[in-house]
Amino acid sequence: MTKYGSFPGARPRRLRTTPAMRRMVAQTRLHPADLILPAFVREGISTPVEIGAMPGVVQHTRDSLKKAAVEAMEAGVSGIMLFGVPEEEKKDAAGTVGTDPDGILQVALRDVRAEVGDDLIVMSDLCLDEFTDHGHCGVLDAEGRVDNDATLERYAEMAQVQADAGAHVVGPSGMMDGQVGVVRDALDQVGHEDVSILAYTVKYSSAFFGPFREAVGSSLKGDRKTYQQDPANARESLRELALDLEEGADMVMVKPAGPYLDILSKVADAVDVPVAAYQISGEYSMIEAAAERGWIDRDQAIMESLTGIKRAGANMILTYWATEVARQL
């Protein structure tokens, strides 16, 4: 006599039996259009410079940046986020090269926009840290503290020159209170109503930023804990989110991505605007370093990390593997 209902009656493993079965029932799928490539362009170099802490990532020349943008576009990547690295002697306390129409970031924006037109979304990091001689994300007061409101005036000017240079999207990343509203007003005042704002809504003061500081030639002494968020806290992320949306953010971001998937999920559940997550330099470097030592499978680790970020709720992912992964997909 056949016995029915014997344990286990439910066998979830049936849906994991073959690659075709797993693909059919997969709930999360990566697509090239999910990806945005962060890229660094450095003034005064004739060939790309490898970033020691980020194997495979370089500080681009203007020409190599244009090539990288075209490659990303052809691979199906949606956007490129540009960071400028000026010559050291051009840095000053106010980061004036960041608002110079002929500064390296604005020149690079014009280069890339001329190369790709509207076929790749050209994004611009809107922050002073790459351009100040003290390395902070804003201007300092007489006591050496970052002056929030004085910094907002600089951000307004940066937004205008970046939009004039061709940015489709600006990304205010300095975590100044009120930055999104000021940037929106500044753009609208000069006829750039169509330029979008990707708000760095949740940006934690993270040890995982370490390799990035080499990438942008940071002059920072100390830390950014007085304006970036405390990794111990979650509730203030939703407060920052509400403020950015009220001020006019078109898209919002969580940064870093991997260590803060819980925050990413909370943000994604709370909004009806696109949500980005930035898989930052330290996340990249850890996987590359472990893979170089043979401790993990590089390609599988990359895909797993990105799938986890998308599963947590990201519509767009900034990752240094964007072009490589897009080609594989």
Side-chain angles (χ1 to χ4, degrees):
M1 179 177 176
T2 303
K3 184 178 180 181
Y4 297 99
S6 59
F7 179 84
R11 294 182 183 267
R13 287 177 56 188
R14 295 187 189 109
L15 301 183
R16 307 169 192 154
T17 51
T18 67
M21 177 67 78
R22 294 191 292 273
R23 185 173 63 248
M24 183 178 73
V25 302
Q27 295 174 272
T28 304
R29 301 181 195 277
L30 287 171
H31 188 277
D34 301 332
L35 305 176
I36 297 167
L37 176 68
F40 308 100
V41 57
R42 179 174 167 182
E43 189 174 23
I45 57 173
S46 57
T47 58
V49 175
E50 181 102 5
I51 299 167
M54 300 177 69
V57 180
V58 300
Q59 295 171 325
H60 284 287
T61 66
R62 289 173 61 185
D63 286 339
S64 71
L65 177 66
K66 290 187 288 187
K67 180 181 178 182
V70 171
E71 290 174 348
M73 177 183 68
E74 292 175 343
V77 170
S78 281
I80 185 168
M81 174 68 81
L82 301 186
F83 297 85
V85 184
E87 294 176 315
E88 192 68 26
E89 61 270 19
K90 292 185 178 180
K91 295 180 180 181
D92 60 23
T96 53
V97 71
T99 50
D100 181 350
D102 294 321
I104 182 59
L105 182 52
Q106 284 69 250
V107 169
L109 285 166
R110 290 195 292 271
D111 286 345
V112 173
R113 186 67 189 274
E115 197 77 15
V116 301
D118 292 331
D119 293 330
L120 183 72
I121 300 300
V122 180
M123 303 179 170
S124 184
D125 179 62
L126 199 166
C127 195
L128 288 171
D129 60 318
E130 296 103 307
F131 308 110
T132 55
D133 54 13
H134 49 72
H136 277 289
C137 297
V139 295
L140 305 182
D141 63 17
E143 298 181 17
R145 301 170 302 187
V146 174
D147 186 325
N148 190 96
D149 295 0
T151 299
L152 293 181
E153 295 181 19
R154 301 288 295 124
Y155 286 3
E157 188 178 353
M158 289 189 82
Q160 292 172 343
V161 297
Q162 289 178 1
D164 286 343
H168 294 103
V169 178
V170 295
S173 62
M175 292 302 288
M176 297 298 119
D177 295 337
Q179 63 185 12
V180 172
V182 166
V183 167
R184 182 73 272 156
D185 286 346
L187 291 170
D188 293 350
Q189 286 172 15
V190 293
H192 286 301
E193 295 90 350
D194 289 339
V195 173
S196 301
I197 297 176
L198 171 56
Y200 282 61
T201 294
V202 181
K203 185 177 181 182
Y204 283 96
S205 180
S206 173
F208 293 98
F209 287 129
F212 180 88
R213 295 184 181 178
E214 177 188 347
V216 297
S218 174
S219 302
L220 181 67
K221 303 291 191 297
D223 57 52
R224 301 184 174 119
K225 292 181 180 180
T226 61
Y227 46 101
Q228 294 178 351
Q229 288 173 239
D230 185 341
N233 293 343
R235 283 194 297 268
E236 66 181 330
S237 298
L238 298 182
R239 186 183 185 199
E240 295 273 8
L241 175 64
L243 291 168
D244 283 355
L245 293 174
E246 183 180 349
E247 292 173 24
D250 300 289
M251 301 168 277
V252 297
M253 187 193 294
V254 175
K255 180 181 183 180
Y260 298 96
L261 295 182
D262 60 325
I263 306 301
L264 174 58
S265 180
K266 289 177 186 292
V267 169
D269 287 345
V271 301
D272 57 3
V273 299
V275 176
Y278 197 147
Q279 185 181 53
I280 67 169
S281 58
E283 299 175 72
Y284 175 93
S285 297
M286 287 192 301
I287 289 177
E288 289 287 352
E292 189 274 331
R293 288 161 175 76
W295 294 341
I296 59 174
D297 183 295
R298 178 183 180 274
D299 292 348
Q300 288 189 30
I302 291 170
M303 288 299 188
E304 184 177 335
S305 66
L306 292 171
T307 299
I309 294 166
K310 186 170 183 185
R311 188 187 64 243
N315 305 109
M316 303 100 70
I317 304 172
L318 287 82
T319 176
Y320 299 99
W321 290 301
T323 302
E324 175 186 343
V325 169
R327 287 170 174 161
Q328 293 177 12
L329 294 173

